[in-house]
Amino acid sequence: MFTQVKYYQPYNSPNDPCPPVRVKSYQTPPQLYIGFQPPNLQQFSPKQALYCGTLWPAFYSPYPDPDGRNDDK
Amino acid sequence: MWYYEKKLQYPVRVGSCNPQLAKYLIEQYGGADGELSAALRYLNQRYTIPDKVVGLLTDIGTEEFAHLEMIATMVYKLTKDATPEQMKAAGLGAHYANHEHALYYENAAGSAWTATYIAAKGDPIADLYEDIAAEEKARATYQWIINLSDDPDLNDGLKYLREREIIHSQRFREAVEILKEERDRQIFF
Ligand SMILES: [Fe+2]
């Protein structure tokens, strides 16, 4: 299973003027991984689809990441 | 910092006196998808992209300056000995009025280079897709200039530069794949 958020540790110098953010994140949403949409994907209920902006959970990309973490937390 | 090697990345030869080609070539000098835009776009994005692809942006951004130098050499060779009459006939009368034989960062239609040609979104995926698109647009521009040019010596250099855009695009696509990988995941979770 892919993740929609990746984390990396940027270089921090001991001489940086501000307190360092040790871990930064970036988004890798689902359309990067799927290519042509396969047929018969699982669907949201119509009401949930309206709420999410897509009929298919495979393409749903919540932001901010609900069970993820923010940078440096 | 950079070290400078006092030679071109690939030899530039211009076979015929055709100042009008300079007017078209300037698109790759100071145009939206030209070499200056490319170099500045990539070198600027390095600071806010994951460390794994910073080196790639440095390498390609640096090579774009070598390409800029080749284009400058072509434009200079084509215009340095042109009379005002020849400049006018080549559509470069307005350029001559402002710059004489100096090169300038402008596109084929004479509009000055602007920072709005380049993007820096701060989102690594968005920035790399921008870079891939920029390489394909630069490749297309080389195709259109080759179509306009009947100088086989000049076209030899342009075909080399077109091929480099293809390789750059490939490397940026590989960078996207690197950023999509799940590497280092267990370190943070
Ligand atoms: Fe390039």
Side-chain angles (χ1 to χ4, degrees):
Chain A
M1 182 55 190
F2 75 99
T3 58
Q4 300 205 20
V5 189
K6 308 285 187 291
Y7 299 92
Y8 68 103
Q9 291 174 292
Y11 172 75
N12 290 298
S13 161
N15 300 318
D16 283 345
C18 303
V21 175
R22 299 196 183 282
V23 177
K24 297 206 175 189
S25 69
Y26 59 95
Q27 300 284 313
T28 50
Q31 80 278 13
L32 295 177
Y33 297 89
I34 291 178
F36 265 104
Q37 177 178 347
N40 307 316
L41 282 182
Q42 187 207 329
Q43 296 185 1
F44 284 126
S45 71
K47 191 180 170 195
Q48 186 69 12
L50 278 173
Y51 174 76
C52 288
T54 175
L55 188 52
W56 301 280
F59 286 105
Y60 181 53
S61 177
Y63 185 88
D65 188 20
D67 45 39
R69 13 175 271 195
N70 296 318
D71 294 351
D72 202 29
K73 293 276 168 61
Chain B
M1 70 174 285
W2 278 264
Y3 287 96
Y4 182 73
E5 212 169 317
K6 196 176 166 60
K7 63 181 183 187
L8 294 175
Q9 187 188 10
Y10 184 89
V12 163
R13 291 194 58 198
V14 181
S16 55
C17 175
N18 185 357
Q20 192 166 33
L21 280 178
K23 183 171 169 58
Y24 304 141
L25 278 169
I26 210 80
E27 184 69 30
Q28 286 294 47
Y29 193 65
D33 308 316
E35 303 292 354
L36 180 70
S37 299
L40 297 180
R41 179 187 299 112
Y42 306 150
L43 294 176
N44 178 255
Q45 287 175 358
R46 293 181 293 166
Y47 298 92
T48 50
I49 209 134
D51 304 43
K52 276 178 269 186
V53 300
V54 169
L56 179 71
L57 285 170
T58 306
D59 289 350
I60 297 182
T62 301
E63 184 178 346
E64 304 294 6
F65 276 125
H67 296 173
L68 188 72
E69 195 178 30
M70 287 175 61
I71 298 293
T73 304
M74 293 173 181
V75 170
Y76 177 66
K77 280 176 179 260
L78 285 165
T79 53
K80 70 185 178 75
D81 301 313
T83 64
E85 277 307 320
Q86 286 173 314
M87 293 291 276
K88 212 192 293 179
L92 288 167
H95 175 96
Y96 185 88
N98 193 353
H99 307 288
E100 207 237 12
H101 288 302
L103 279 70
Y104 194 65
Y105 294 114
E106 61 193 0
N107 70 8
S111 300
W113 187 88
T114 156
T116 55
Y117 288 160
I118 68 177
K121 189 50 73 178
D123 177 291
I125 298 297
D127 281 346
L128 283 171
Y129 270 65
E130 155 97 8
D131 300 345
I132 293 166
E135 293 295 339
E136 303 302 348
K137 288 189 279 184
R139 172 184 56 77
T141 305
Y142 278 120
Q143 291 164 194
W144 312 155
I145 296 174
I146 289 167
N147 293 352
L148 287 164
S149 160
D150 54 4
D151 184 332
D153 294 321
L154 189 79
N155 285 355
D156 183 55
L158 296 178
K159 288 170 186 175
Y160 171 87
L161 290 167
R162 176 182 173 276
E163 179 62 35
R164 294 311 299 160
E165 311 300 358
I166 290 168
I167 300 303
H168 292 171
S169 175
Q170 169 65 21
R171 296 297 171 243
F172 285 133
R173 288 162 198 267
E174 290 167 357
V176 171
E177 294 306 312
I178 289 170
L179 294 193
K180 283 165 63 181
E181 280 173 17
E182 299 288 349
R183 280 164 46 182
D184 303 341
R185 191 175 169 187
Q186 59 281 20
I187 294 174
F188 303 115
F189 282 87

